[in-house]
Amino acid sequence: MFTRGLKRKCVGHEEDMEGALAGLKTVSSYSLQRQSLLDMSLVKLQLCHMLVEPNLCRSVLIANTVRQIQEEMTQDGTWRSVTPQEAGRAPLDRLVSTEILCRSAWEQEGARPAPGLGDGHVQGPVSDLCPVTSAQAPRHPQSGIWELDGPREDRGGFHKSLDQIFETLETKNPGCMEELFSDVDSPYYDLDTVLTGMVGGARPGPCEGLEGLAPATPGPSSSCKSDLGELDHVVEILVET
Amino acid sequence: ATAAGPERLGPWCSPTGSPAPLSCETGCGEGSWILVCRLLVPTQVSLLSMEEDIDTRKINNSFLRDHSYATEADIISTVEFNHTGELLATGDKGGRVVIFQREQESKNQIHRRGEYNVYSTFQSHEPEFDYLKSLEIEEKINKIRWLPQQNAAYFLLSTNDKTVKLWKVSERDKRPEGYNLKDEEGRLRDPATITTLRVPVLRPMDLMVEATPRRVFANAHTYHINSISVNSDYETYMSADDLRINLWNFEITNQSFNIVDIKPANMEELTEVITAAEFHPHHCNTFVYSSSKGTIRLCDMRASALCDRHTKFFEEPEDPSNRSFFSEIISSISDVKFSHSGRYIMTRDYLTVKVWDLNMENRPIETYQVHDYLRSKLCSLYENDCIFDKFECVWNGSDSVIMTGSYNNFFRMFDRNTKRDVTLEASRENSKPRAILKPRKVCVGGKRRKDEISVDSLDFSKKILHTAWHPSENIIAVAATNNLYIFQDKVN
């Protein structure tokens, strides 16, 4: 289950590397799977059957899970900016087996990346943790030994909705979000309303993204990708507003 | 008693063997369970049997809907025995309520005792559209609760996500005849032709069962109603949604009192919702409600009008060695039930059933594993949303056995005294009428024995969420999608 897209090495080579890199491999597996869980959770929050009000209990539980992952990733120093391309393609490419996450914590003692270590050794430079508004060059998430191979096919609906969400968010200042929702009475369904562009309008399907949202004043340059602050905001929105 | 019409198609079991003496004291260990009958949804039954003259006032034709959604609408969403066990009500996704009545015992048909047949069917809730929010309000019946019987009629509460209704179900077996101003067909008579006066008399007629809505309690819930509970004073009841609990008087529909409100001022801070609530069976001032974080709060309405501050707080400390990203989700309580004695509460979370003593808040006194083999599969179950399934749990009449459902149409019983448990299956293939149910076993790894089923072969689309136990006898009702199974205990 785990091996989709994972480049396989020839047997001999693997044996040589086994001892030294087994630890890092597990670290990477855990991080991959955690990221996959995060992506899956975000997708779950966004894709709803919008004719009927979404289940608040389910939304709250998923949002709490997202928050937990975010907190852990922040502690580990692995919380990185997510580029729209990655965000769009990530959920499906990275829906690797998350079986490791089901193991209890003590089993994972050795597997989790130590705080401060980040993914530096495995996945390329760690990005800034402070919310920055300046452009961040998109990084290939899996540089190094454990490259994810495999074709990045067009995934249709998923790709589009996440792309559009992050794209729209990146053009706004955080303050705009409040204005956007200020006149909507019931905060409860804004969770999904926002993300599927339902504000004040009729209900398109879940993949139509955010055409319905009024465009804010053009913000930073188009090269400004979603950064930590924006992703924080997504998480806030998910339980708001 | 049956709804008007010809003799409807009875349940398909053909009884064999000697009748089983029923005893409330028999636990799940000593007895065995037999299938009494499998009841089909009324659409199928009625199409087969009710061809003749049917009084359309009683049977709302809207349930005879297009077959393309018939299957989805027939999914049973709640099951509840009344206080004597004579009646069994089911609600379904299509907003219908079907009431079954126990077959009367008769000398020549003693083996049919324990069977339930359709007594009444009515459309309780219709789909609605909230124009302000552009959202559909589902007609699915979330819960049914019976009121104790106080006269010849039966009363029950049924609720969907937004509206609670009080229904009266009554029998009519006589009708007045001999009116002066109307003839037998109901047409007005020409007064000039009336030469004598007579007193109308009541004459017997075919038994008719009518369901009429007596009260509609609407517009009190912003969020989805998950529970209703009748108070022991029989004058009030509560309805609980994700964030609030309201107290109603049965006589007053335009007002309710809010007794619990956990909505934060800033919805951004919302991290916990109410999942279930119930009144104490004897103390009309006491109720409990459970949360998505695995906690139970007991409140006393005498303490204050708004019971935001609990009297007791039940929570089990988390086991740090078992912590994962799914810990909170699987700790979310899907059902809470007082024991009949009122001394204990039972809670159901995703993997376990727990029994709590009201006098001990820091941990449950008993924990039963329902399907622990799923613990290593939580990720997949999160992915396919099964982890959010809300299973219910029930006590038997003597509080000695508890029951809850699982996947693959399995349901589990735990005997609190003997500590034995059993897994049974509600399925058409494996149940011949009156045959003894064979205990099932899930194989968790290693060599699978014959008759065991491996975890990977479980069908997660076949889930038993709703079950009910007769208040005084060992008769249980198990809802599996659109089938209702009635099992009874057969003591050898």
Side-chain angles (χ1 to χ4, degrees):
Chain A
M1 262 175 80
F2 182 73
T3 57
R4 177 162 50 162
L6 190 66
K7 189 184 269 185
R8 282 174 290 177
K9 302 293 179 186
C10 66
V11 177
H13 193 207
E14 214 164 56
E15 282 170 3
D16 293 346
M17 305 189 30
E18 220 176 272
L21 293 168
L24 285 173
K25 183 177 181 181
T26 354
V27 164
S28 174
S29 301
Y30 178 85
S31 298
L32 271 178
Q33 293 179 5
R34 182 176 60 185
Q35 183 66 46
S36 176
L37 183 64
L38 176 64
D39 297 333
M40 192 198 310
S41 304
L42 291 174
V43 169
K44 275 185 184 302
L45 283 170
Q46 290 150 14
L47 297 175
C48 288
H49 305 289
M50 284 314 292
L51 194 54
V52 178
E53 263 177 320
N55 186 325
L56 184 62
C57 182
R58 178 176 172 273
S59 303
V60 165
L61 288 173
I62 298 173
N64 289 351
T65 307
V66 167
R67 214 181 273 113
Q68 275 182 59
I69 298 173
Q70 183 193 5
E71 277 167 17
E72 192 181 278
M73 287 174 83
T74 308
Q75 281 170 19
D76 292 343
T78 54
W79 184 255
R80 295 172 295 110
S81 63
V82 179
T83 65
Q85 294 99 307
E86 291 171 36
R89 286 182 290 265
L92 295 140
D93 273 11
R94 292 204 226 171
L95 281 181
V96 296
S97 161
T98 43
E99 166 261 338
I100 264 188
L101 295 171
C102 297
R103 297 192 206 141
S104 53
W106 68 266
E107 285 176 311
Q108 294 177 32
E109 267 313 302
R112 282 186 47 192
L117 172 66
D119 288 26
H121 298 268
V122 183
Q123 290 179 349
V126 180
S127 56
D128 263 45
L129 292 183
C130 313
V132 289
T133 51
S134 60
Q136 291 256 348
R139 298 184 216 290
H140 186 68
Q142 307 297 338
S143 65
I145 309 165
W146 311 105
E147 279 208 33
L148 272 189
D149 256 347
R152 297 194 181 276
E153 314 138 8
D154 180 74
R155 299 291 183 162
F158 284 163
H159 184 163
K160 204 164 69 159
S161 65
L162 270 180
D163 249 11
Q164 285 176 316
I165 286 159
F166 281 96
E167 200 174 279
T168 317
L169 288 175
E170 87 195 28
T171 64
K172 290 179 174 30
N173 300 316
C176 291
M177 287 300 174
E178 268 76 48
E179 282 161 24
L180 207 54
F181 309 134
S182 59
D183 57 0
V184 179
D185 275 342
S186 168
Y188 156 56
Y189 72 108
D190 284 354
L191 168 69
D192 296 292
T193 308
V194 166
L195 296 168
T196 53
M198 301 303 176
V199 176
R203 304 211 153 258
C207 291
E208 290 183 41
L210 300 171
E211 288 97 334
L213 280 181
T217 56
S221 68
S222 59
S223 63
C224 170
K225 307 298 181 185
S226 298
D227 58 22
L228 176 67
E230 295 296 349
L231 202 51
D232 256 350
H233 230 18
V234 171
V235 175
E236 277 174 16
I237 287 157
L238 295 173
V239 286
E240 225 246 43
T241 300
Chain B
T2 66
E7 193 197 70
R8 77 278 146 300
L9 216 60
W12 50 268
C13 59
S14 48
T16 56
S18 53
L22 296 171
S23 156
C24 201
E25 303 314 303
T26 307
C28 62
E30 292 115 51
S32 330
W33 291 88
I34 60 172
L35 172 68
V36 173
C37 49
R38 178 178 67 95
L39 300 159
L40 300 168
V41 291
T43 40
Q44 299 170 42
V45 173
S46 64
L47 286 170
L48 290 170
S49 65
M50 295 177 176
E51 303 107 19
E52 280 87 315
D53 197 280
I54 292 171
D55 188 341
T56 55
R57 282 176 296 140
K58 300 184 304 303
I59 299 179
N60 185 334
N61 284 328
S62 66
F63 74 65
L64 296 168
R65 52 180 84 194
D66 177 31
H67 277 277
S68 57
Y69 349 105
T71 320
E72 176 84 359
D74 297 338
I75 294 174
I76 297 172
S77 50
T78 185
V79 189
E80 187 83 354
F81 280 100
N82 75 339
H83 293 265
T84 59
E86 184 206 350
L87 298 180
L88 175 63
T90 62
D92 66 25
K93 246 186 136 180
R96 285 169 304 185
V97 170
V98 180
I99 302 177
F100 300 91
Q101 186 186 46
R102 189 160 180 195
E103 187 79 25
Q104 302 305 321
E105 199 174 325
S106 66
K107 288 195 180 57
N108 47 346
Q109 292 229 302
I110 197 163
H111 51 263
R112 287 180 73 82
R113 189 164 177 266
E115 288 172 14
Y116 283 78
N117 302 309
V118 177
Y119 177 68
S120 173
T121 306
F122 56 93
Q123 187 75 27
S124 171
H125 287 72
E126 298 275 3
E128 290 172 52
F129 197 77
D130 180 338
Y131 293 96
L132 282 179
K133 292 187 191 174
S134 264
L135 287 172
E136 204 178 80
I137 298 171
E138 281 191 306
E139 67 273 30
K140 173 168 74 87
I141 307 294
N142 293 336
K143 283 288 184 315
I144 289 174
R145 289 288 182 263
W146 290 93
L147 270 67
Q149 200 173 2
Q150 290 174 306
N151 53 35
Y154 304 102
F155 288 88
L156 61 81
L157 285 175
S158 72
T159 186
N160 68 348
D161 284 339
K162 298 286 185 177
T163 304
V164 185
K165 294 186 183 180
L166 175 69
W167 286 88
K168 175 180 175 183
V169 182
S170 51
E171 295 181 6
R172 187 192 298 227
D173 61 355
K174 295 183 183 49
R175 68 160 171 249
E177 283 176 21
Y179 284 106
N180 291 296
L181 298 175
K182 288 188 294 185
D183 66 18
E184 294 314 310
E185 275 81 50
R187 291 179 300 224
L188 290 173
R189 291 168 73 187
D190 177 3
T193 64
I194 300 172
T195 52
T196 59
L197 285 179
R198 56 186 176 174
V199 177
V201 291
L202 290 173
R203 296 212 188 284
M205 57 177 266
D206 287 342
L207 183 67
M208 209 169 77
V209 182
E210 300 180 299
T212 47
R214 303 296 292 175
R215 303 273 188 277
V216 177
F217 305 92
N219 303 320
H221 286 279
T222 308
Y223 306 99
H224 292 178
I225 297 175
N226 52 53
S227 313
I228 45 175
S229 178
V230 179
N231 205 348
S232 51
D233 62 10
Y234 304 156
E235 287 181 4
T236 57
Y237 76 94
M238 72 156 121
S239 55
D241 67 31
D242 295 313
L243 298 178
R244 299 191 176 100
I245 302 181
N246 294 331
L247 182 71
W248 301 84
N249 182 300
F250 281 111
E251 300 305 317
I252 301 169
T253 58
N254 60 359
Q255 258 187 47
S256 71
F257 291 99
N258 177 243
I259 52 177
V260 172
D261 188 340
I262 65 168
K263 178 172 188 280
N266 184 356
M267 280 293 272
E268 205 177 291
E269 293 159 23
L270 180 65
T271 56
E272 190 174 11
V273 300
I274 297 171
T275 52
E278 196 180 49
F279 269 116
H280 190 283
H282 312 309
H283 303 139
C284 58
N285 53 288
T286 305
F287 65 92
V288 292
Y289 68 93
S290 59
S291 84
S292 56
K293 285 197 171 171
T295 66
I296 307 106
R297 289 169 176 81
L298 183 139
C299 299
D300 186 333
M301 295 195 291
R302 297 170 302 189
S304 69
L306 189 58
C307 298
D308 277 358
R309 286 168 53 200
H310 49 263
T311 305
K312 294 199 183 194
F313 182 76
F314 299 84
E315 186 179 30
E316 183 171 25
E318 193 179 17
D319 176 5
S321 65
N322 257 337
R323 175 125 189 88
S324 75
F325 285 121
F326 306 107
S327 295
E328 184 182 313
I329 299 178
I330 63 169
S331 75
S332 174
I333 293 175
S334 51
D335 195 16
V336 65
K337 292 266 171 49
F338 272 101
S339 63
H340 292 91
S341 62
R343 271 198 63 190
Y344 305 103
I345 46 178
M346 167 167 55
T347 57
R348 175 72 154 97
D349 51 62
Y350 191 62
L351 297 178
T352 72
V353 187
K354 296 183 168 134
V355 177
W356 305 74
D357 187 318
L358 284 190
N359 299 314
M360 187 161 75
E361 299 169 54
N362 58 355
R363 59 179 173 82
I365 56 169
E366 295 156 30
T367 300
Y368 301 94
Q369 301 294 331
V370 181
H371 38 217
D372 201 55
Y373 45 79
L374 296 183
R375 199 177 286 272
S376 58
K377 310 273 176 198
L378 293 178
C379 309
S380 311
L381 295 164
Y382 179 73
E383 193 174 353
N384 64 15
D385 268 4
C386 282
I387 207 174
F388 301 107
D389 286 336
K390 292 193 186 305
F391 292 93
E392 292 169 7
C393 54
V394 291
W395 298 87
N396 75 338
S398 61
D399 297 337
S400 57
V401 183
I402 57 183
M403 173 168 70
T404 189
S406 178
Y407 294 105
N408 210 73
N409 281 347
F410 288 170
F411 58 99
R412 305 260 283 137
M413 289 184 200
F414 303 92
D415 188 319
R416 298 177 61 218
N417 300 323
T418 65
K419 299 303 179 197
R420 290 166 67 173
D421 63 83
V422 68
T423 304
L424 299 171
E425 181 178 357
S427 88
R428 296 160 65 158
E429 294 80 29
N430 301 331
S431 308
K432 288 172 60 178
R434 299 277 154 173
I436 293 176
L437 286 183
K438 198 168 57 178
R440 309 285 301 174
K441 193 149 162 49
V442 176
C443 151
V444 290
K447 199 161 157 50
R448 184 180 78 87
R449 290 201 199 94
K450 180 175 175 294
D451 287 349
E452 283 186 359
I453 180 165
S454 74
V455 183
D456 299 313
S457 311
L458 294 174
D459 187 343
F460 289 93
S461 66
K462 296 188 177 160
K463 44 195 99 174
I464 306 278
L465 302 173
H466 313 288
T467 60
W469 204 306
H470 189 286
S472 54
E473 297 184 37
N474 278 348
I475 301 176
I476 57 176
V478 177
T481 323
N482 63 342
N483 289 283
L484 183 69
Y485 291 85
I486 314 269
F487 299 103
Q488 78 184 43
D489 175 53
K490 179 186 170 69
V491 178
N492 295 319

